[in-house]
Amino acid sequence: MASINSFEDIKSYQIAFELSLKVYKLTKRKEFDYGLKDQLRRASVSVFSNIAEGFERQSNKEFVKFLYYSKGSVAELRAQLKLSWKLELITELEYNQLYKDCLEVSKLISGFIKFLEK
């Protein structure tokens, strides 16, 4: 594993940050009502923010706790994306790509949790 000197070096953080940028761009559409747009954005920001906050806690136990929060936010985002697709606010292609990104982040976080719990 490569050396991690800051939370910005963590692969799951990097992908989650990019995912949040995609969500923000997607929800600029006027079709999104304020509530769903806000929830999508908040969940996406929560994913990478919890990784950053947990890293800065300087304790593996605390970090793992925040990684679990991050996984929860990824699941929340997946659910909201599915609703957005079913409401025809996003296309199936957009949904599938974002869902794939969510799964990738979730798997990376799970792997990191396992590594830290050893």
Side-chain angles (χ1 to χ4, degrees), residues 52-113:
E53 184 174 353
F55 180 84
E56 291 297 327
R57 295 287 177 128
Q58 302 293 314
S59 152
N60 279 359
K61 184 178 178 183
E62 281 286 297
F63 192 13
V64 167
K65 181 172 78 171
F66 278 85
L67 289 173
Y68 277 114
Y69 295 155
S70 187
K71 275 184 65 70
S73 294
V74 173
E76 181 182 356
L77 181 57
R78 285 174 31 211
Q80 294 161 357
L81 288 168
K82 185 168 189 175
L83 177 62
S84 299
W85 170 46
K86 293 297 184 176
L87 291 172
E88 299 179 353
L89 300 171
I90 62 175
T91 67
E92 185 174 5
L93 181 64
E94 289 168 326
Y95 169 74
N96 287 335
Q97 182 57 54
L98 292 168
Y99 188 86
K100 183 178 145 230
D101 291 346
C102 287
L103 289 180
E104 182 180 3
V105 169
S106 188
K107 287 177 185 175
L108 286 168
I109 293 169
S110 291
F112 205 25
I113 290 169

